Amino acid sequence: MMSDQCSPAAAGGTIGLRPIPVTVIGGGIGGLSVALSLLDAGAVAAADITIVDANPGSGRLHTYTGRLGHVCELGAGRYSPRLHPRLDALVTRFGIDTAPHVFTIKYQSGQAEADEFSAMDLAGLDGQGSFYDALAGSLGMARADRFCSLTGYEAIRDRRFPVAGGMDVISTHPEAFRSAAHRSAWVAPATGFTGLVDALRDYLVDQGVTILHSTRLVAAETCPQGLDLEFLTSERRRLHRVTEQLVLAIPPVELLSLRLPVHPKVFGWLPDLVTVPLFKGFLTFREPWWQDSDLDGCCVVTDNELQKLYFDTGRRTIYFYCDSSNSNFWATLRSAGDSVFRDTLEAKIEQAVGRELPDLKHAEELVSRHWPIGITYLEHGTAFDSTGCLRIAERIQFSTGAFTGNPGWIEGVLANASLLASGLNAPAKGRAGRRHVVAGRAKTTGATCRYTSQPTRIRRHKPSEDHAGSRA
């Protein structure tokens, strides 16, 4: 839905005849949830919100539906209603059906070690260092490395990953050996997370929110009415509009490409952010030939580059999900050609399960996606105060799940959007550019990010020579 007032065809390349109260940059789950939160909070009318989406369908939620109806979640794949109540409420609100996401955990090797680590008392893992350093201090480096590998998440081996974040991964993620109490509660949208995004977008349009597609923000300048925004369309046309408030719901790495009326020091917090690459790959089949075998409904935590290998009987797929250096391994392999990628994948799967699987050759489709910037989180030791979002200028706010207690999860994005909406019309506290963060469990004041601790400084995840360094 696009009103005449905001049509890109407006005369003279200017969008709009009056200032728009709120412009949201980003049409993924982040931007859409900001708009929904604004409406739910009564902060602004639907007709006064415009969402600008540079790359429709490019967000971190990506469902691929195969030619035989296979549902392949190439982005976010599951959630826990108990751990992610905001997301569960959103799924319920829009009538999205869910199915259990429950797997029996097996190990390529190391079942006895996993049992030992599961029973181990880790209450003493605290302090201001990284999760890996704290773990190595308790177990020694060799056993700490093995501990991390058996979780199926290599990112916790990174010396920038905070203690609280590591404890969260090993205690709640359904594949981790210490998460048995939570494992049966996880679910996934039956037709994929893209259906949730589509339902949310349709709702906002029906309410009167304007969405501009294939249009990218280039610059913003102050003007008497607020901010003069410059856009570039997919046809390379430059357009201008004026807005009173600008919300940037985009990945942090994209901030520096914008020309904004702020001092460069406002972005001095960017080096505090660490990004983790992710990779997911799916093989689809007409029938789940592994059904009623020892692989039926199993997640195999592997000793090779697959990390986590799932035999999803209900969806008739075999897929793997890895992070950090392993994700780059598969991305490089895929660039070498389909045959090399497929042959290596089949060999790694057989290696992980310990036997030949001739039916792997009969896959209907092989689909995959590499996310160079999959998860963004705050380096351990970074402190932010918590008023809801990052206000980088009087009329510009930045919304990201990276500053929450649930970085990398939709829940964190929804938490930040809710607090942003509740405080959008409140006067900015402190000087522009002051750093803010919200808590995973939303308190409007006095909360701290669950993944951070005390003050210390987007860099990409770059494993050290002896330590590879996810979370799903």
Side-chain angles (χ1 to χ4, degrees):
M1 178 177 182
M2 188 177 294
S3 64
D4 291 338
Q5 137 187 336
C6 294
S7 169
T14 299
I15 306 175
L17 303 177
R18 63 176 178 82
I20 300 300
V22 180
T23 300
V24 180
I25 306 301
I29 188 66
L32 296 175
S33 61
V34 166
L36 181 66
S37 295
L38 289 171
L39 293 185
D40 288 348
V44 63
D48 291 334
I49 301 173
T50 294
I51 299 172
V52 181
D53 192 359
N55 300 297
S58 67
R60 273 279 288 120
L61 303 184
H62 180 189
T63 305
Y64 172 81
T65 303
R67 55 176 176 259
L68 296 181
H70 296 92
V71 176
C72 304
E73 290 285 23
L74 296 172
R78 74 279 200 266
Y79 75 95
S80 165
R82 188 183 74 79
L83 299 174
H84 308 133
R86 293 179 183 83
L87 175 56
D88 190 52
L90 194 66
V91 167
T92 300
R93 174 175 178 174
F94 288 103
I96 305 298
D97 292 331
T98 61
H101 185 280
V102 180
F103 291 85
T104 301
I105 309 302
K106 293 181 177 291
Y107 298 89
Q108 180 177 342
S109 67
Q111 179 67 61
E113 292 173 286
D115 292 342
E116 177 191 356
F117 290 142
S118 179
M120 190 174 292
D121 182 8
L122 298 179
L125 288 189
D126 53 19
Q128 312 309 321
S130 72
F131 175 77
Y132 179 82
D133 286 335
L135 193 65
S138 176
L139 304 180
M141 291 183 64
R143 280 169 55 79
D145 284 334
R146 187 60 175 152
F147 183 105
C148 294
S149 294
L150 288 173
T151 66
Y153 294 93
E154 285 296 309
I156 63 175
R157 205 191 302 262
D158 190 311
R159 284 193 159 97
R160 293 166 294 178
F161 203 88
V163 171
M167 293 299 293
D168 179 78
V169 168
I170 66 174
S171 301
T172 62
H173 286 224
E175 304 85 1
F177 45 75
R178 297 175 69 91
S179 66
H182 303 285
R183 196 167 291 156
S184 63
W186 290 73
V187 298
T191 58
F193 271 109
T194 296
L196 174 62
V197 175
D198 291 343
L200 177 51
R201 184 184 296 112
D202 291 345
Y203 172 81
L204 293 172
V205 170
D206 288 344
Q207 295 301 304
V209 173
T210 296
I211 300 181
L212 303 180
H213 298 290
S214 302
T215 303
R216 180 171 62 87
L217 178 66
V218 176
E221 295 182 0
T222 56
C223 67
Q225 293 174 296
L227 292 169
D228 179 13
L229 306 181
E230 180 182 347
F231 296 100
L232 185 66
T233 71
S234 57
E235 293 82 24
R236 310 299 295 176
R237 290 185 59 214
R238 292 193 179 272
L239 306 170
H240 286 265
R241 66 167 296 157
V242 175
T243 191
E244 296 173 4
Q245 291 286 338
L246 179 65
V247 178
L248 302 172
I250 58 178
V253 292
E254 295 182 13
L255 289 173
L256 293 179
S257 67
L258 304 176
R259 299 198 308 273
L260 301 174
V262 298
H263 192 281
K265 289 184 177 179
V266 166
F267 299 117
W269 46 268
L270 278 172
D272 291 322
L273 296 178
V274 182
T275 62
V276 182
L278 305 174
F279 194 100
K280 294 183 83 169
F282 285 77
L283 289 167
T284 69
F285 299 87
R286 285 185 177 272
E287 298 296 334
W289 45 264
W290 59 90
Q291 190 171 14
D292 297 325
S293 75
D294 61 327
L295 299 177
D296 189 354
C298 281
C299 169
V300 181
V301 179
T302 76
D303 295 335
N304 60 26
E305 292 86 354
L306 295 171
Q307 283 185 223
K308 298 182 293 293
L309 176 64
Y310 301 80
F311 290 82
D312 192 334
T313 304
R315 290 185 169 180
R316 298 171 292 151
T317 63
I318 298 174
Y319 68 96
F320 71 99
Y321 186 17
C322 62
D323 65 84
S324 307
S325 60
N326 287 331
S327 70
N328 295 331
F329 168 85
W330 291 106
T332 300
L333 206 62
R334 189 178 63 179
S335 67
D338 288 345
S339 61
V340 174
F341 180 73
R342 181 185 288 265
D343 289 346
T344 305
L345 174 58
E346 292 174 357
K348 295 291 184 181
I349 291 175
E350 291 180 334
Q351 182 186 62
V353 300
R355 63 180 183 269
E356 293 184 354
L357 299 174
D359 287 310
L360 286 175
K361 300 289 185 184
H362 303 145
E364 292 292 322
E365 293 181 272
L366 168 58
V367 294
S368 63
R369 180 156 183 180
H370 180 225
W371 303 88
I373 302 174
I375 303 298
T376 302
Y377 66 87
L378 286 164
E379 180 177 357
H380 77 81
T382 304
F384 286 77
D385 50 19
S386 45
T387 57
C389 68
L390 180 74
R391 182 179 290 277
I392 60 177
E394 182 180 357
R395 297 178 182 269
I396 304 175
Q397 298 199 59
F398 177 54
S399 178
T400 174
F403 293 164
T404 74
N406 299 98
W409 293 99
I410 303 172
E411 185 72 11
V413 172
L414 298 178
N416 205 55
S418 177
L419 288 179
L420 183 148
S422 66
L424 185 64
N425 294 326
K429 296 181 179 180
R431 60 183 181 83
R434 185 182 178 189
R435 298 181 291 182
H436 304 293
V437 65
V438 301
R441 292 177 172 79
K443 294 183 179 179
T444 55
T445 59
T448 57
C449 179
R450 197 171 75 233
Y451 278 27
T452 63
S453 47
Q454 300 291 321
T456 57
R457 328 165 298 204
I458 200 180
R459 90 192 65 171
R460 298 224 180 160
H461 175 83
K462 189 174 183 181
S464 62
E465 293 183 1
D466 56 342
H467 296 290
S470 145
R471 14 185 345 188

